[in-house]
Amino acid sequence: MAIDPSRGKMHLGAFIHPTGNHIAAWLHPEAQIDAGQNFRHYCQLAQMAEAAKFDMMFLADAVAVRDGKQEALSRWPQYMAYFEPVTLLSGVAAVTEHIGVVSTATTSYNEPYNVARKFASLDLISGGRAGWNVVTSANLSEAFNFGREAHYEHGERYDRAEEFFDVVKGLWDSWEDDAFIRDRSTGRYYDPAKLHALNHKGEHFSVRGPLNVARSPQGHPVIFQAGASEPGKELAARTAEGVFVAGYTLEGAQAFYADLKGRMPKYGRDPDHLKVMPGLNAIAGRTEKEAREKHAYLQSLIHHAVGLEVLSNALAGFDLEGLDPDGPLPPDVYDIVPKGSTSAFRNVTRWAKEENLTIRQLYMRFAGARGQRTLVGSGSQIADNMAEWFLNRGVDGFLIQPSHVPGGLKDFIDHVVPELQERGLFRTDYEGTTLRDNLGLPKPVNRWAARESVA
C-alpha cells in the first residue's frame, strides 16, 4: 500500500498498569513495588508523559478482586488492590496542565447518572482533559458484587451499554454552555431556559435528570471504547471518538481501521473524528541487544503457576493444571463459548492452531503483555514499525504499555519519542488546552442549543 504523506502527527497514550504491563513487572527491581497504593507514583508517571507530550494517561479498571487459584494470584498482584481511577485521576489532574486523564468505567455494573457525574466533574477539575473508556465487563467476578448470581450474556451487555451511553451523553447536555449568568446585579445565577431534564425511560434505565454538574470547556469528556466484536465495532462507529484495540499484523490493523471508519458515515459521523489506537507493548533500549536482554529478563520472571492462570483466564476459565505444559491445548478447549473477553480467546486459540504452540509457549507469549503486540528493539527500530503502521493507515496512534514503571516508560520516552519527533510524526508541543484540542476532535454541540438554533 502506498504511503500517504499527508497523515500528519500520530497520537500517543500512556497506558499505566500499577507496576507495569508485564505480568511479572512487580518483580523487576526498578518497578514501584507498592504502586497500587502510591499516589506520588502516578503523579510522577503523568508528569513524565506530559513532558514527552503524550496525549493522555489511561487507567484500566475492574470492580472486583480477581477470582482464581490463590497460589497464582498471590504471585500476580496486578489489579488486586489499587485506586479507584476517577478519584486518582482527579488528583493527577491537579499536578498536570496538558495531558489527558482517561479512565475505564463499566456499563455493566454502574448507573448512568453516577458515571455522568463523575466524569463531568473530572472534566471540570482538569480544565477539559477527561476521557471515558466505555466498556462492558469481561470480569465474571464483578457480577457477585452487584446483586447478581451470573454475568450478563454478551448480547445483553452491549444492549445495556448502548442505552447506558445514550443516557450519560444526554445527562451531559443538561446545562447549555452559557446557562450560568452569575449576575449579582439582577440576582440571577442561571437561566432556567438553559437547564434541561432528560426524562429517559428505556429497557434498562429510567433517568429523569438533569445532571447537577455544569458543562465543561470541551463540552463533554472524550469517548473511548475497547473491543473488536461486531457489537463493539458498531457501538464504536456510533459513539466512540477513540478506540483501544489489540492489533497484531499491519494487514489486520488496516482491515479493522477501514471497517470501523467505514461504518461511521451511516451515523452521520466524519471518520476523522475517531482515533484508532491499538495497544503496544514497546520494550526499548539503546540497541536491539540491550532491549532483547531487558525482555528476556522480564520473561524469566514469569512463574509457571501465574502463566497457567493468565492463560486459563484467556480461555474462559478452562483449568490447565495437571496438563503437560509442553504439550498442546486439549481439543475440548475449542468448543468453549466464552462469556468474557472473546478477542483474547480467539487470539490464543488461533495461535495454538496455526503455530502448533504448546501450553508453555502460549502462556509465555500471552502472559507477558496479555495478548497485546510486543516490539523489542532500539528506539529507531520501534519508531520504524510505528511509522509503518501509522503512515499506511493501520492506526491513528498507539496506547503505549510500558513493561514496568517508571523504567519502561522512561526507556520509551528516551529512545523512541525523539525518533518520532525527528521524523515529524509526533508533536513537540501541545496544540491546545483540552484533550479534544490535542486529538483534533470537535467540541460537541449541546443538543438543546442545536434545537433552538434550528428553530
Side-chain angles (χ1 to χ4, degrees), residues 284-416:
R286 289 169 294 184
T287 64
E288 180 182 358
K289 180 175 182 293
E290 181 182 78
R292 294 202 174 279
E293 288 171 352
K294 290 179 179 181
H295 184 236
Y297 174 67
L298 281 163
Q299 291 291 94
S300 74
L301 300 176
I302 298 175
H303 191 278
H304 177 66
V306 176
L308 285 183
E309 185 72 9
V310 176
L311 187 59
S312 174
N313 288 347
L315 295 172
F318 190 91
D319 191 354
L320 300 167
E321 195 167 335
L323 298 176
D324 179 6
D326 296 311
L329 288 176
D332 46 347
V333 167
Y334 301 99
D335 298 327
I336 295 172
V337 178
K339 292 185 178 181
S341 174
T342 57
S343 57
F345 181 87
R346 286 197 305 269
N347 289 327
V348 169
T349 51
R350 177 173 56 81
W351 296 337
K353 282 182 177 179
E354 294 179 359
E355 302 179 44
N356 296 315
L357 298 184
T358 67
I359 290 172
R360 191 190 310 275
Q361 289 170 328
L362 282 169
Y363 80 58
M364 290 297 287
R365 176 183 293 188
F366 184 79
R370 249 86 70 246
Q372 298 289 345
R373 190 166 70 104
T374 298
L375 287 180
V376 182
S378 67
S380 178
Q381 289 172 319
I382 291 173
D384 284 344
N385 187 279
M386 293 172 69
E388 181 184 16
W389 281 48
F390 174 69
L391 292 171
N392 285 290
R393 292 190 179 273
V395 302
D396 293 307
F398 297 90
L399 197 60
I400 304 303
Q401 304 180 122
S403 59
H404 63 290
V405 285
L409 179 60
K410 185 176 186 301
D411 287 340
F412 185 88
I413 289 170
D414 288 348
H415 303 306
V416 182

Side-chain angles (χ1 to χ4, degrees), residues 88-267:
L88 172 58
L89 290 174
S90 295
V92 168
V95 298
T96 55
E97 295 182 5
H98 301 286
I99 193 167
V101 284
V102 182
S103 169
T104 289
T106 176
T107 60
S108 302
Y109 302 111
N110 272 306
E111 286 294 323
Y113 194 93
N114 289 340
V115 166
R117 190 169 186 236
K118 286 181 180 179
F119 281 91
S121 296
L122 178 61
D123 211 22
L124 284 170
I125 289 168
S126 64
R129 293 184 280 135
W132 171 33
N133 183 38
V134 185
V135 302
T136 65
S137 289
N139 184 346
L140 308 185
S141 306
E142 295 183 8
F144 308 129
N145 293 335
F146 293 87
R148 292 181 60 86
E149 295 301 318
H151 196 29
Y152 293 103
E153 295 295 331
H154 191 266
E156 186 180 5
R157 294 208 312 269
Y158 276 97
D159 287 344
R160 178 185 168 96
E162 293 229 20
E163 186 179 341
F164 192 111
F165 171 81
D166 289 341
V167 173
V168 170
K169 192 172 180 183
L171 288 170
W172 282 336
D173 280 343
S174 294
W175 298 92
E176 294 184 36
D177 291 297
D178 56 351
F180 291 94
I181 304 165
R182 300 186 179 99
D183 188 339
R184 288 192 176 102
S185 67
T186 64
R188 181 78 69 184
Y189 195 82
Y190 68 86
D191 182 348
K194 296 182 182 295
L195 171 61
H196 306 280
L198 183 61
N199 292 317
H200 173 87
K201 289 188 180 296
E203 180 182 353
H204 300 280
F205 305 105
S206 176
V207 182
R208 189 195 68 176
L211 188 68
N212 58 345
V213 182
R215 261 171 86 83
S216 81
Q218 62 175 355
H220 65 64
V222 177
I223 301 299
F224 295 89
Q225 200 217 322
S229 67
E230 279 301 309
K233 286 189 285 188
E234 206 61 34
L235 180 62
R238 183 171 77 85
T239 66
E241 295 166 296
V243 168
F244 303 145
V245 67
Y248 302 98
T249 67
L250 174 57
E251 294 75 17
Q254 288 171 324
F256 178 86
Y257 188 94
D259 178 17
L260 184 57
K261 298 209 174 194
R263 299 173 188 234
M264 295 176 68
K266 69 183 178 184
Y267 296 111

